Every structure is written in structure tokens, then in C-alpha cells.
Amino acid sequence: MRLGPGDAIGDRGVATVTPVSGGITLRNLIVTGPAGSAATVVRHRLPGSTELELRGSLPLRGRPYAQNASVDNPTLYYVRALKSALVAEGIAVSGAAVDIDDVSPAPSHDGLTPILTHQSDPLSVLATTMMKLSQNQYAEALLKTAGGGTVEGGRAAVKAALQQWNIDPAGLMLADGSGLSRYNYITPETMVAVLRHVDRDERLRATYESTLPVAGKDGTLENRMRGTAAEGRALVKTGSMTAARSVAGYARTADGTLVAFAIIANNFDNSSAAINAATDDIIVRLSSYRSR
């Protein structure tokens, strides 16, 4: 989605979704607030619904920015987008795009000839999409791939890596790859230990750091910490669920020292905007810090 303010205070904000055939219908209730006011957009969608409701305020003359939105049926989203792309290239495709799970009886693949074999991008490219855009499907697939195709194997692979790095795996309970399960737990100490290890490993440092959202510049941080000491200097992965907000990454202090940090807030009785503002302020202070 791309979100932006209207032309005057009180006007309806602008909200568009791409691709149009992606299966999401927007109900745009965003209003335009005074210039310099906070951007507060809240999203709501009922389970199983394709309608995404947007409420809140965007400041007048504020820069439009992008946000990701999940789809209810990823398979249907993909085949609809594929059909639209084929038709746009002049390839005739008849019938509606459907989820194979909704086809009964399931079609047989016997005797079929593949017309295309696709080799994915390398992990460094996939990880950039996963981290900067917080792409949950990529993260889920990565865990399974690391474990030979299963979540159980992925958990074992993560535990083995932590042990190899001399990090106590007791600080992590891993239920899935996306982090959406309420049964995922990690201590800030464990997260910082992972960040420190990666930064000290010449094979991992540059590639990993290039995947992280940059404060005030791109990814999930495109619209946060702009115009502060953290802009362009803090590399931070964000995480968010209802009553849960977290940030972890690196901040370069005013005197050039690289600091690894992790901040996790759970079960808070406050607005998510207030929690984000607090964590952003901490990151800005880290970026402004001078040891002398």
C-alpha cells in the first residue's frame, strides 16, 4: 500500500494498493491532520475478510510512504497476479484464478510437462526483502529450508547454530519462522548476543547489515526517526503484534562506536504509537551518545 495526506486539513487521505488484483479492498478512513502532526494509521481486518480498514491521521504535506499488508489467501493472491501478468503480455488465459485447495478432485500432475523452471534469487537478496519489508512468508520458508523442509528441522538448525556460536539456546523458544506465534520467546540478552556474533564475523557482517531497515530511509523504518541523529545511522529490525513491539539492531553513536541493542515490550496497557515513540527515542539517544 502507499499512504499519503490529502490536499487540505480534514481531507480524506490517499491510500492505494498494488497490485489491484491482489485481493485486498481498502476502506480508507484516514484524515489529513495539521502539518507536523504525528502520523497515526491503524489497520483493522476481520479474519477471512478481504476488506482492510484504515483509520487515523497523516500530516498535511507529509511525504507519502509505503506499508505492507498481508493477504488472506496467499495462493489466490499469487495466481491472480500471475494471470494478470500473463494477460498483460498478450497470453490468453481462460477461467478464473483459483486456489488449488478449492479444486475438487485435486488435479493430477501425471503426464504434465513443465513450461518454466524458476531459480530463486540468492539468500542475500531474499533476506533483504524479508528483513526490510518484514515479509512473514519469506521468514517461514527460510526456517523450513534451513531444516530440510520442516519447522522441526528448522528449530534444530537454529539451536545448533546458537550452540556453535557459544550462545545459550535456553534464551530462545522458537515456534515458527515468521514470529507470529504467541509461543515465540527470546530474551534481549540472547538477541544482542546474536547481533554481536554476526558483527564480529567477517563472512556475515556486511551481508546481514545490508538487509536491515535503515532509520528514516527504507523498509519498515522509512517513516520513523526522520530528521534525527538516528536517520541513516541506525539499522533496525522491527517486530509488531497486538500488545507487542520490539526493535533490535545496531546504532552508530556520535563518536563512531557501533552499539548492538534489543528492546522488547510485551502486554503493555498503552498505545502502540506511544511504545514506538519511546523505542525510537532510545535509538536516537544511542545515536547521539558521546563517550567523552
Side-chain angles (χ1 to χ4, degrees):
M1 298 184 301
R2 193 138 190 99
L3 308 178
D7 295 329
I9 295 174
D11 282 0
R12 183 64 51 86
V14 178
T16 58
V17 63
T18 304
V20 176
S21 61
I24 292 180
T25 302
L26 294 181
R27 186 180 182 213
N28 178 17
L29 302 177
I30 299 171
V31 298
T32 303
S37 61
T40 57
V41 175
V42 178
R43 306 187 299 187
H44 178 72
R45 181 173 58 195
L46 294 175
S49 172
T50 61
E51 182 180 87
L52 180 63
E53 182 181 281
L54 304 172
R55 291 180 177 271
S57 174
L58 291 174
L60 182 67
R61 295 190 294 276
R63 191 174 77 183
Y65 64 97
Q67 271 196 354
N68 285 332
S70 62
V71 294
D72 182 65
N73 187 325
T75 304
L76 194 56
Y77 167 84
Y78 171 76
V79 293
R80 282 174 173 168
L82 176 61
K83 178 183 176 181
S84 296
L86 292 173
V87 171
E89 293 296 324
I91 301 173
V93 181
S94 61
V98 297
D99 185 339
I100 194 171
D101 294 335
D102 296 331
V103 178
S104 182
S108 171
H109 295 168
D110 295 340
L112 298 181
T113 302
I115 60 174
L116 175 68
T117 300
H118 174 70
Q119 185 71 34
S120 76
D121 289 325
L123 177 58
S124 58
V125 175
L126 298 176
T128 298
T129 300
M130 179 183 74
M131 298 285 274
K132 286 189 180 291
L133 303 183
S134 204
Q135 228 299 345
N136 294 321
Q137 285 182 295
Y138 280 40
E140 199 68 45
L142 178 59
L143 179 67
K144 292 180 180 179
T145 301
T150 67
V151 173
E152 292 75 14
R155 294 189 190 114
V158 171
K159 181 178 180 180
L162 291 178
Q163 290 173 329
Q164 183 180 355
W165 295 355
N166 295 317
I167 298 173
D168 186 358
L172 170 68
M173 292 177 61
L174 190 63
D176 63 12
S178 66
L180 293 177
S181 171
R182 292 290 182 179
Y183 296 99
N184 289 303
Y185 297 95
I186 188 171
T187 65
E189 291 82 3
T190 299
M191 188 71 255
V192 169
V194 170
L195 292 168
R196 290 177 63 188
H197 175 88
V198 171
D199 181 67
R200 293 171 179 176
D201 190 325
E202 293 288 345
R203 301 169 305 159
L204 302 177
R205 181 193 305 123
T207 300
Y208 178 75
E209 291 183 1
S210 70
T211 70
L212 291 170
V214 182
K217 297 293 186 181
D218 63 18
T220 55
L221 292 182
E222 180 184 359
N223 206 39
R224 292 171 61 175
M225 292 176 277
R226 288 181 185 169
T228 71
E231 181 174 355
R233 297 169 60 83
L235 311 175
V236 189
K237 179 69 185 76
T238 61
S240 61
M241 294 173 63
T242 301
R245 290 292 186 275
S246 61
V247 289
Y250 306 100
R252 182 75 63 180
T253 66
D255 53 12
T257 302
L258 190 68
V259 178
F261 64 89
I263 307 168
I264 301 174
N266 288 315
N267 302 318
F268 47 81
D269 186 18
N270 206 331
S271 70
S272 57
I275 301 300
N276 287 344
T279 55
D280 287 359
D281 186 54
I282 294 172
I283 297 170
V284 170
R285 291 188 180 210
L286 285 173
S287 303
S288 306
Y289 177 76
R290 292 184 182 274
S291 59
R292 56 187 180 279

